[in-house]
Amino acid sequence: MLTHAHSQAQIDSEPVGSLIEGLAISAATNPDGSALTDASRSLTYRETDRLTGALAVLLDDRLAPDDHTGPGVGPTLGGDTVPVGLMTAHGTDGVLAMLGLVKAGRLFVALDPHLPQARLEHVIRLAGIREVIADDANHEYSLPLVDGADRVHALSSMLGDAAAVAAGDDAIPLVPAGLERGGRDGITIIFTSGSTGAPKGVVMTHRQVLVDAASERIAFRIGANDRVSSVLPHGFAAGFSLVVTGLLAGASVHIVDPRDTGIEKLMAWIVDQRVTTFHCTPHLVRSVVAALDADESRLHGVRMFATVGEAITGPDIAALRPFMHEDASFFNWTGSSETNVIAFNEIAPGDPIPDGPVPSGRIAFGKEVRILRADGSLADVGETGDIQVVSDAMTAGYWGAPEQTAARAGVDDDGTPTWKQGDLGRFDAEGRITLLGRADDAVKVRGYLVEPSEVEAAIRALDGVQDAIVLAVKNPPAPTRLVAYVVQRSGRRTASPAAIRRALRDQLPDYMVPGAIVPMIVLPRNERGKVDRAQLPAVPAPGATTPVTAPTVTATDSEVDAAQVVVGAAESTGTEMSETTFDQWELVVGQIWAEVLGLPSVGLDDDFAELGGDSLSAEEMLATVQERIGVDLRSSEILENPTVREFARRVRSGAAAIPSHPDVVKLTSGGSGSPVFCITGAGALALTFLPLSRHLAGHDVYAFQQHGLERRTFPDWSIEASAKRYLELMRVVQPHGPYLIVGHSLGGLVALQISRMLTTAGEVVEHVVLLDTYLPRTTAEQGALEFARLPDRENANPAIAAVLRTVDKQVRRVLPGGAAQFRRVGRRIRAYGAGVFQYSGQKQFDALFDQASLMSKRYRVPQYDGRVTFVQADNNPDGREAWAEFLTGDMRWPRLESEHSSLLREPHVTELAAVLRAAIDEDVPAS
C-alpha cells in the first residue's frame, strides 16, 4: 500500500553547507561564463563573485549593526535579528544586492516596487525593518517607508564603490558574519501573498535554498549551457530559488519583468536572449498564448517550460503545445514558500495531456510527502487527505509568529522537521501526487463536499475560457454557494453565464455548478501572479433580491400536481421552511427558465437577467415557450415581465395580452437626460442592448430591431428604408434634437443614415456612436466575415453527427465545399423569404441576419461631418483609414479588446459604457 513517496532522483553529492560556499564553487568552476544579464548589463561569474564580495564588505560597514551576534535568527524568529529591506527593480542590481547581503550575513526582505505603499508599509512593520537599500528609481518611494532619510541607502552608490574595489586584483576579504551562516540559518524572509488573509513572513534557510536548487537542477536538467529566464519576482520564493538554481548550476540567468515590458516585448526578449528554460505562472502562460498567432515559432528556442504558483490545467498546456518546439517539455512545478518545491511533473513531447487538473507529479529530491487522514493516520492510494512534508530543507518558521509556526511545524520520530502545508492532496498508484486546493477551501454544498479547484478546472476546460476562479461564499444562515469569476479568451464570442452553467452541467453534478457566474475582463492579481481574492467584486446573495417567501421551481420536478404545489423556500433562501402554492403555468415556465439558464431551480420572483439570461438565452427561452406551450411572445415581454411569476402570468393570458410595437423596445425609463436610441446589428434582438442600458443611468434607452424579426411581415430591403422606419418612431418619442444615436454592427450603417437624414432636415444630432461597424461588402467578402452569426451547431446525437460527417466526405468528392455548400444555398433561399416566412428557433434570426447582409451590400455610405465615436473591436478590417472618406467630422476612435458581438456583453460592456458616458458628457453644454 502506497501511502507516501520519495523522489526517485539521485544527486551527485549532498548540497554544500551554505549558499556562500556554493556561489564560490560556481565562480571558481566557470569564472568567464555569463552569470547575470538584464537590459542594462551582463556579468560573468568572476565579476559577480568579486562585485558581491566587495558589496558585502561595504554593507557590513555602512548598515547599522545587527542586534544578533551569533548564527540563526533567534529563538522566536525575529526576537534578535533586524532584517534589511531591499527595494529595487527586477534586474541584475537587485540580484547583486541580495547576494551581497547573503555574503554580509544579513537577513533581508525583497520589497517589490509594484506593491501599493500601504502593503509595503504593512510588510515593513511585520518584519521590523529599520533600513532599506534602494536603487535610483525607487529611492524617493522608499523614504516614507522608514523613519529618516539616513536609513535609505543608495544602491547605485554602493555598487559604484564596490565595482572600484572589484576591478583590482587584490583579494576581497570575507565578512565574518556571512561565514558563520549556513544550514538552518535564515537567508531571506518571503512574505506570502496574503490573497486569502494577512501576509506571513516565511524565513527561508540556507539548507532550504540549497536543496531546492539541487532539486530544480535535477528535474529541469539545468546545466552550464542553459540560458535561464528570471521573470518571477525575487520576493517570491520560486523567483529567488530559481536565480540560485541557475547560478549554482553555472547557467546564464537572464532577468526581465513582464509587468514592465508587456507580453509583446517579453516575446521579443525571449528570442533576443535565446532563452532555453522559461519559468512563470500559469497566468503568464495564458497571456502569452493569447498573444500568439497561428504557426508562431518565437518559442521554439525554449527547451522546457515550467509553471508554479497556482494550478495549471490540461487545456492550458494543450493551448501552449502548438507553439512549443517538438522536443520541448512542460513541467508542473509545485511547492510553497514554507516547503519550497515538493514535486515535479514533466509532460514530455508526445506524452498525453490530462483533460483536467495536471497532477503535481513525483516528489522532489530531499522531501518526503505524506497524505494524512483527519485522525493522523496515513491515507490509502487515491484517498484525499492533508499534505504533510518531512524534510530538514524547509522554513525555519514564520517571522515573529511562534504560535502560527507551532500550528504547522512538528518533528518526526527520527527528529526530522515536519510541516503541515495546509493543502489537500492524494497519491495515485504510480506515486504521483495531485494537489486539490487549500484544506480550508473545501466546503459542503447541499450536503456534498466540494473542492472549488475541481470546479475551476472544469470551467477552464470549456472552449473559449481563458481563466477562472471559484469561491465558496458563506453567509449563514443562508446555505453555502459557489461563485465563479470567468475570463474568456479575447477574439472569441463571450458565452453568457447561462451558457457556461449549461456546459458545466454536462460535466459536473448539479451541486458543483456555480449558481453565480461573473464575467471578468481580467482577474485581479497580486505581484506574484496569484488571484487577489479581496479585489474580486462581491456578488449579492439570492436573498438580497428574492423575497424569503418565494418558492423554488425545480427543473427536475416533472411529476407535480399541476393544480397546487407546496414547496419549501428554505433551500434557496436560507430561511425557515414556508409553504406557498403556485399554478401549472408558473411550474412550466420555471422549468423552462431553469433549463435554459442552466440552474437547478429558480424562484418565482427571480429576475431573468439577474439569473444570467442574455439575448441569446432569451431567444432560446421564447422558442421553448412557443414549442411547449404554444404561446408566441416577443422579446420585449421579458422586460415587461422579468420574473417567473410575472412571465407566467403573461403566458397564461396568451395572445390576449396588451400589444407592443414589434420593432422598438424601451429598455429603461425615468431618465432626465436626452433619450439614447440604439440600433441592433443584423438578426439581433433589441434585448442585446439591455446590459448597456443599465450603465446609462439618467437616460431613457430605446432599442430598435429588424422589421420582421419577431412578427411576420415584409422586411426592409434597404438601409434607407430601415432608417426611415426607425426615424418615424424616434420622432414620436423625441420630435426634435439634439439626438443621441448608437448603432452596433450593421446598425451603425442605419445610425449613420438616420443622422444624415436628420441633419439634412435641419435637426441637431449631438453624437453618433458606431460599435464595430463594418463597411458594406460584396457577397463573397461578406461570406468571409460572418462575425455576428452563430456557428452552425453539430447534431447533439453522436450517431446522427457521425452519419452527417460521412455524407459530407462523400459530397466533397463532387463539390469542394462539401455539404456546407448546400447549406449556404439553403440559407440564401431562407434569406429571401425572411420576415414573410417564420422559421423555428435560431434559423429565424439567421435568416434575418443573411437578409440584412444582402441588403447592406447595395448600400453606399454617405459622408457625415458630425461628431462620431467609433468603437473598434478585435479583427475589424475597417480601421480609421478605411472610414476616413466617410466620417469627416469630429472623430473619437477608442479600441476595446473584445470579439465583435461580445461588445454588448459583460464584462466588455462595462468598458464600453464608460466610453459612451465620456462621449455623452463631452456633448453636454456647460451650465
Side-chain angles (χ1 to χ4, degrees):
M1 179 179 67
L2 179 67
T3 54
H4 53 78
H6 296 274
S7 170
Q8 299 301 310
Q10 299 296 318
I11 192 167
D12 300 337
S13 60
E14 189 67 12
V16 294
S18 75
L19 178 55
I20 299 171
E21 184 182 348
L23 293 171
I25 293 173
S26 290
T29 304
N30 189 22
D32 297 322
S34 174
L36 299 171
T37 299
D38 68 4
S40 62
R41 60 170 158 177
S42 182
L43 296 169
T44 66
Y45 273 88
R46 181 179 186 277
E47 290 169 336
T48 300
D49 182 55
R50 289 186 61 81
L51 192 53
T52 54
L55 181 60
V57 174
L58 292 173
L59 290 167
D60 186 55
D61 178 62
R62 298 182 186 182
L63 292 175
D66 193 348
D67 292 344
H68 187 61
T69 56
V73 290
T76 61
L77 296 175
D80 303 289
T81 300
V82 179
V84 177
L86 182 60
M87 177 84 78
T88 66
H90 187 78
T92 57
D93 285 0
V95 174
L96 291 172
M98 289 191 294
L99 299 182
L101 285 163
V102 171
K103 290 185 175 183
R106 297 301 294 264
L107 193 66
F108 69 88
V109 178
L111 303 170
D112 192 333
H114 283 268
L115 288 174
Q117 184 171 343
R119 162 81 179 199
L120 289 170
E121 290 174 347
H122 185 53
V123 168
I124 285 174
R125 282 196 304 271
L126 290 176
I129 292 171
R130 300 175 191 171
E131 295 178 282
V132 171
I133 300 169
D135 59 14
D136 290 344
N138 295 289
H139 192 274
E140 292 296 321
Y141 188 39
S142 302
L143 292 176
L145 300 176
V146 289
D147 186 17
D150 58 334
R151 295 192 174 186
V152 178
H153 302 275
L155 177 60
S156 60
S157 174
M158 286 195 285
L159 282 175
D161 293 343
V165 174
D169 295 326
D170 294 342
I172 297 173
L174 299 176
V175 177
L179 293 176
E180 295 175 351
R181 299 298 175 95
R184 295 272 291 166
D185 294 333
I187 289 180
T188 182
I189 305 174
I190 300 292
F191 277 86
T192 60
S193 62
S195 59
T196 59
K200 298 185 289 289
V202 179
V203 180
M204 290 183 67
T205 69
H206 281 262
R207 175 72 176 167
Q208 181 181 1
V209 171
L210 291 168
V211 171
D212 197 58
S215 298
E216 291 170 2
R217 180 170 63 83
I218 293 168
F220 299 147
R221 300 183 286 280
I222 293 176
N225 293 327
D226 274 308
R227 302 168 73 85
V228 178
S229 67
S230 172
V231 301
L232 296 166
H234 296 149
F236 182 24
F240 175 67
S241 292
L242 185 63
V243 171
V244 174
T245 298
L247 293 177
L248 295 187
S252 177
V253 179
H254 296 255
I255 310 169
V256 74
D257 195 334
R259 298 171 297 181
D260 296 330
T261 64
I263 297 300
E264 277 303 318
K265 289 184 178 179
L266 173 67
M267 299 299 299
W269 175 85
I270 290 172
V271 175
D272 180 64
Q273 298 296 304
R274 305 192 310 281
V275 167
T276 62
T277 74
F278 190 70
H279 315 256
C280 65
T281 62
H283 171 63
L284 186 56
V285 163
R286 297 177 194 122
S287 299
V288 166
V289 170
L292 292 171
D293 297 323
D295 302 323
E296 284 255 17
S297 61
R298 285 185 284 178
L299 299 179
H300 283 191
V302 183
R303 68 167 183 82
M304 58 84 51
F305 297 80
T307 60
V308 70
E310 61 182 353
I312 188 83
T313 64
D316 293 326
I317 303 172
L320 176 65
R321 181 172 268 184
F323 304 107
M324 296 167 56
H325 189 276
E326 60 182 6
D327 295 327
S329 287
F330 184 94
F331 286 83
N332 187 17
W333 175 26
T334 303
S336 68
S337 300
E338 295 87 345
T339 64
N340 276 53
V341 65
I342 64 168
F344 298 95
N345 187 6
E346 179 178 7
I347 299 177
D351 285 353
I353 297 174
D355 294 330
V358 178
S360 299
R362 302 192 183 281
I363 305 307
F365 165 81
K367 303 285 176 23
E368 178 186 344
V369 175
R370 298 168 179 168
I371 305 297
L372 303 180
R373 300 188 181 102
D375 62 3
S377 62
L378 293 173
D380 292 333
V381 171
E383 184 179 357
T384 298
D386 292 301
I387 293 176
Q388 182 189 61
V389 183
V390 184
S391 175
D392 65 348
M394 298 188 295
T395 181
Y398 294 123
W399 182 257
E403 292 182 359
Q404 289 183 320
T405 300
R408 300 273 183 165
V411 179
D412 206 23
D413 294 339
D414 63 358
T416 306
T418 64
W419 191 268
K420 295 177 182 177
Q421 188 161 303
D423 290 321
L424 295 174
R426 62 171 175 254
F427 277 112
D428 64 18
E430 297 178 6
R432 296 178 304 175
I433 188 172
T434 297
L435 265 65
L436 301 172
R438 301 293 298 172
D440 49 10
D441 282 348
V443 293
K444 285 286 188 74
V445 177
R446 289 157 55 183
Y448 296 93
L449 187 66
V450 174
E451 299 292 345
S453 60
E454 292 189 44
V455 184
E456 289 171 12
I459 296 174
R460 288 198 187 105
L462 297 178
D463 184 41
V465 172
Q466 178 171 329
D467 207 353
I469 185 170
V470 175
L471 301 186
V473 179
K474 304 175 184 178
N475 291 306
T480 299
R481 61 198 179 101
L482 299 178
V483 177
Y485 299 84
V486 180
V487 177
Q488 303 193 47
R489 296 190 187 281
S490 60
R492 303 285 292 275
R493 182 188 295 269
T494 301
S496 69
I500 293 173
R501 276 197 298 261
R502 281 183 296 174
L504 288 176
R505 288 173 78 87
D506 292 336
Q507 304 178 36
L508 301 173
D510 284 350
Y511 61 85
M512 292 182 69
V513 176
I517 307 284
V518 183
M520 302 282 287
I521 294 176
V522 293
L523 294 178
R525 293 182 178 271
N526 57 33
E527 75 282 4
R528 303 172 188 202
K530 291 188 176 183
V531 176
D532 190 344
R533 301 183 180 201
Q535 299 302 316
L536 292 167
V539 178
T545 56
T546 306
V548 296
T549 57
T552 296
V553 181
T554 307
T556 56
D557 289 339
S558 55
E559 297 182 3
V560 188
D561 183 353
Q564 199 167 70
V565 182
V566 180
V567 296
E571 185 176 355
S572 63
T573 64
T575 62
E576 293 183 0
M577 186 71 75
S578 61
E579 292 191 352
T580 309
T581 61
F582 59 97
D583 63 27
Q584 60 179 341
W585 297 104
E586 292 166 342
L587 173 64
V588 173
V589 168
Q591 289 174 338
I592 292 172
W593 280 30
E595 291 172 16
V596 169
L597 296 173
L599 291 168
S601 62
V602 294
L604 282 182
D605 293 307
D606 285 343
D607 183 284
F608 184 81
E610 290 177 0
L611 290 173
D614 62 357
S615 60
L616 294 180
S617 305
E619 294 172 13
E620 182 177 353
M621 187 270 287
L622 293 171
T624 305
V625 167
Q626 182 179 17
E627 178 184 344
R628 295 188 188 176
I629 307 176
V631 176
D632 185 12
L633 299 175
R634 292 188 292 272
S635 58
S636 59
E637 306 284 1
I638 303 174
L639 288 176
E640 297 163 7
N641 307 278
T643 68
V644 172
R645 190 189 304 275
E646 294 167 328
F647 194 79
R649 188 182 303 128
R650 171 64 187 87
V651 169
R652 188 187 300 114
S653 65
I658 299 173
S660 59
H661 201 285
D663 299 337
V664 61
V665 176
K666 188 175 185 180
L667 299 177
T668 60
S669 59
S672 58
S674 299
V676 178
F677 298 101
C678 302
I679 303 166
T680 64
L685 289 169
L687 281 179
T688 304
F689 277 99
L690 181 60
L692 178 63
S693 70
R694 291 174 170 164
H695 291 278
L696 299 178
H699 298 270
D700 289 354
V701 179
Y702 296 82
F704 296 86
Q705 62 191 26
Q706 272 176 274
H707 189 57
L709 186 66
E710 293 193 287
R711 277 292 180 268
R712 182 176 308 206
T713 187
F714 288 99
D716 296 319
W717 274 96
S718 71
I719 297 292
E720 293 85 351
S722 290
K724 181 180 178 182
R725 181 183 305 278
Y726 297 160
L727 181 53
E728 290 175 354
L729 294 170
M730 286 170 55
R731 300 192 85 163
V732 172
V733 176
Q734 185 182 359
H736 301 287
Y739 291 93
L740 295 171
I741 307 173
V742 180
H744 177 236
S745 193
L746 179 134
L749 299 179
V750 180
L752 274 181
Q753 183 64 34
I754 291 173
S755 302
R756 180 66 182 270
M757 293 166 68
L758 283 168
T759 54
T760 300
E763 292 290 349
V764 175
V765 177
E766 196 171 90
H767 210 119
V768 180
V769 180
L770 305 182
L771 305 181
D772 207 40
T773 296
Y774 285 45
L775 288 167
R777 281 170 165 73
T778 65
T779 302
E781 292 172 329
Q782 190 72 31
L785 289 172
E786 294 192 340
F787 41 80
R789 194 178 194 278
L790 286 178
D792 293 326
R793 297 178 181 175
E794 187 173 84
N795 198 292
N797 186 310
I800 295 177
V803 171
L804 291 176
R805 285 194 293 269
T806 302
V807 171
D808 184 65
K809 289 180 182 179
Q810 298 299 320
V811 172
R812 286 181 185 275
R813 295 181 177 181
V814 180
L815 294 175
Q821 198 161 331
F822 288 116
R823 288 196 294 270
R824 285 194 291 272
V825 172
R827 281 170 40 194
R828 176 65 66 88
I829 294 172
R830 281 200 301 269
Y832 282 108
V836 178
F837 300 103
Q838 292 289 297
Y839 304 105
S840 62
Q842 184 60 38
K843 288 182 179 179
Q844 171 71 4
F845 300 96
D846 289 345
L848 268 295
F849 175 92
D850 293 330
Q851 183 268 339
S853 299
L854 293 172
M855 172 182 72
S856 66
K857 72 176 184 178
R858 308 185 185 118
Y859 183 57
R860 297 294 176 264
V861 181
Q863 281 193 341
Y864 182 71
D865 61 0
R867 181 173 290 178
V868 175
T869 293
F870 193 113
V871 180
Q872 187 173 5
D874 297 337
N875 303 319
N876 187 333
D878 301 328
R880 187 192 298 262
E881 293 182 3
W883 279 94
E885 66 175 290
F886 307 109
L887 305 178
T888 59
D890 184 9
M891 277 288 299
R892 306 286 188 279
W893 203 273
R895 186 177 184 87
L896 297 185
E897 293 185 4
S898 168
E899 182 268 338
H900 174 82
S901 61
S902 300
L903 269 177
L904 292 169
R905 293 183 176 195
E906 294 291 359
H908 308 290
V909 74
T910 300
E911 281 190 295
L912 175 62
V915 170
L916 261 64
R917 285 196 301 268
I920 292 172
D921 291 344
E922 280 185 10
D923 298 329
V924 177
S927 56

